[in-house]
Amino acid sequence: MFFKLLKEALKVKKVRSKILFTIFIILVFRIGTSITVPGVNAKSLEALSGLSFLNMLSLVSGNAMKNFSVFALGVSPYITASIVVQLLQMDIVPKFVEWGKQGEVGRRKINQATRYIALVLAFVQSIGITAGFNTLSGAKLLTTDLTPQVFVTIGIILTAGTMIVTWLGEQITDKGYGNGVSMIIFAGIVASIPEMIHGIYVDYFVNIPSDRLTSSIIFVVILIIAVLLIVYFTTYVQQAEYKIPIQYTKVAQGAPSSSYLPLKVNPAGVIPVIFASSITAAPAAILQFVSAMGLDWTWVRTAQEMLATTSPTGVAMYALLIILFTFFYTFVQINPEKAAENLQKSGAYIHGVRPGKGTEEFMSKLLRRLATVGSLFLGVISILPIVAKDVFGLSEAVAFGGTSLLIIISTGIEGIKQLEGYLLKRKYVGFMDKTE
């Protein structure tokens, strides 16, 4: 079905141009991920493969961190900055609240403020991870003398790389295909799949004694079946909808007598997982920098343990962040007050619910229930591989497999729907042309 849809879409010149443009931007990004920062020994990071926040950063950066490339931070600082700005719009800073009500002009101002905050976060985070990785046992990340100028130079390079990746993501969103941030992370994850498969092959077929080969094969088969079940379940939930019956008044000319308002069972999508990953990775990098400066305070060690997904507290913290961000982003995506207002303006109402305030309260209650289901779903899928890694002794690459699957499936579903939208629009345009 997908290939048939893609074949039909490629016949449309505009869609074909968007897809080719997106592939070109992703290619530029992938080239950048292979360019290591000058004065850095990227192979030293192999000794730190068990470090949880390194793997988290690699995930959010589209696996650019493993090479310590010029794009090593990826879009992580921009995502963190976006969260900060959205929080500031919630009646915290009046200026941001005012911008949020100014339409397109206000949106441009908010985007500009987001970029400035991302710039600062990227610089601090880049110095933090550089100093932290360099001081860890056996790392020796830097091949040059340790001077403030070296750290500042690397910080500037990584910050510039982050802003370039952010710009590339914006170009995909504006002129390409899909959401730019999601597509960049998606491309990095897909590129790492062959390496992950090779790692599993080596662990369970090459490094296993001949007398244990049969049990190893059985285990891998069970692992594949488990992955397929998770993929099916994730795809099903991500596409599931809750349909609210809608009726129209006689005042609404041309409107059907009844319809429904579809709401996703997981309204927030995969964004809360990306948010949680970024928020977990950024403070961990800063704490690593504080520890590297010789400030081995008790609270620093405690905070590092709480954020490390190798500990029960770290896993619980990661799951809690996903749950909180799911509730937060659900109400960012769907504003109950605006939804009630839009229904009233279009002459529609929910069957059995009073228009206006009653509709707003109904929508708020329903969104809380859907966010509860969505948050539990995202939390379980994200932490299940982490727990499985510790219980069954799987490789570190499997730990964030759930998060990777969520991003891949969600981006894929969004892409398919966008293709269907292009084709449907083409049919309507063709119909209008024929009637003229």
Side-chain angles (χ1 to χ4, degrees), residues 19-53:
I19 293 175
L20 291 175
F21 179 81
T22 303
I23 292 173
F24 170 73
I25 295 293
I26 290 175
L27 181 62
V28 171
F29 169 72
R30 294 306 302 167
I31 291 172
T33 58
S34 62
I35 302 174
T36 304
V37 174
V40 169
N41 177 22
K43 289 185 178 179
S44 63
L45 292 178
E46 293 177 2
L48 306 176
S49 58
L51 206 59
S52 61
F53 87 87

Side-chain angles (χ1 to χ4, degrees), residues 51-366:
L51 206 59
S52 61
F53 87 87
L54 171 61
N55 294 310
M56 189 77 76
L57 277 172
S58 295
L59 175 68
V60 181
S61 66
N63 280 300
M65 177 59 72
K66 290 185 177 180
N67 296 326
F68 210 88
S69 69
V70 291
F71 293 162
L73 294 181
V75 291
S76 175
Y78 181 77
I79 293 171
T80 308
S82 300
I83 299 168
V84 172
V85 170
Q86 286 178 349
L87 288 172
L88 293 177
Q89 292 181 66
M90 299 176 69
D91 294 330
I92 296 177
V93 178
K95 199 69 176 177
F96 282 89
V97 177
E98 181 184 340
W99 287 348
K101 298 177 180 179
Q102 289 179 355
E104 186 61 32
V105 176
R107 193 176 295 109
R108 286 199 294 267
K109 292 178 181 178
I110 290 172
N111 289 339
Q112 193 69 16
T114 305
R115 292 190 189 97
Y116 285 132
I117 295 173
L119 196 70
V120 175
L121 287 174
F123 187 74
V124 173
Q125 192 172 341
S126 60
I127 295 179
I129 61 174
T130 304
F133 289 159
N134 189 67
T135 54
L136 289 174
S137 176
K140 295 184 180 179
L141 182 69
L142 300 179
T143 58
T144 57
D145 295 332
L146 305 180
T147 61
Q149 290 83 356
V150 171
F151 284 113
V152 171
T153 302
I154 293 176
I156 291 173
I157 292 173
L158 292 180
T159 302
T162 292
M163 302 316 293
I164 291 172
V165 174
T166 301
W167 181 80
L168 291 175
E170 290 176 349
Q171 296 307 302
I172 291 176
T173 303
D174 294 339
K175 304 174 185 178
Y177 172 72
N179 179 278
V181 172
S182 299
M183 288 300 295
I184 284 175
I185 298 175
F186 172 85
I189 294 172
V190 170
S192 67
I193 289 177
E195 182 184 350
M196 186 185 300
I197 294 173
H198 178 264
I200 293 173
Y201 171 75
V202 171
D203 289 341
Y204 296 101
F205 291 98
V206 177
N207 296 333
I208 292 292
S210 57
D211 60 329
R212 292 176 53 194
L213 188 59
T214 303
S215 60
S216 181
I217 292 173
I218 294 173
F219 182 80
V220 170
V221 170
I222 293 172
L223 183 64
I224 293 172
I225 293 172
V227 170
L228 292 175
L229 288 174
I230 291 173
V231 169
Y232 175 80
F233 177 67
T234 303
T235 306
Y236 177 79
V237 174
Q238 289 293 79
Q239 295 188 92
E241 291 181 344
Y242 182 88
K243 298 179 180 180
I244 307 173
I246 298 292
Q247 290 188 331
Y248 291 87
T249 61
K250 294 180 180 179
V251 180
Q253 296 293 328
S257 59
S258 63
S259 182
Y260 64 87
L261 177 65
L263 291 178
K264 288 187 175 181
V265 172
N266 177 29
V270 75
I271 297 297
V273 177
I274 300 176
F275 280 0
S277 302
S278 298
I279 290 295
T280 303
I286 295 171
L287 289 170
Q288 194 67 48
F289 171 68
V290 172
S291 179
M293 295 298 291
L295 304 175
D296 193 21
W297 297 325
T298 304
W299 71 269
V300 173
R301 293 196 302 271
T302 304
Q304 284 180 313
E305 182 181 347
M306 288 182 66
L307 292 173
T309 53
T310 52
S311 65
T313 53
V315 174
M317 181 70 70
Y318 183 48
L320 180 62
L321 282 173
I322 291 174
I323 292 171
L324 291 176
F325 280 126
T326 301
F327 277 89
F328 167 70
Y329 199 71
T330 294
F331 282 88
V332 168
Q333 287 284 87
I334 306 170
N335 188 320
E337 184 180 354
K338 288 184 179 179
E341 184 180 340
N342 290 336
L343 284 173
Q344 197 165 14
K345 284 181 179 179
S346 62
Y349 62 94
I350 299 173
H351 182 69
V353 179
R354 291 175 62 87
K357 193 67 177 177
T359 302
E360 182 184 341
E361 292 174 355
F362 173 83
M363 291 292 293
S364 297
K365 186 177 179 180
L366 179 60

Side-chain angles (χ1 to χ4, degrees), residues 425-436:
K425 183 179 178 182
R426 182 196 178 199
K427 288 180 181 178
Y428 277 120
V429 172
F431 174 76
M432 294 297 292
D433 290 339
K434 289 177 182 178
T435 55
E436 290 178 357

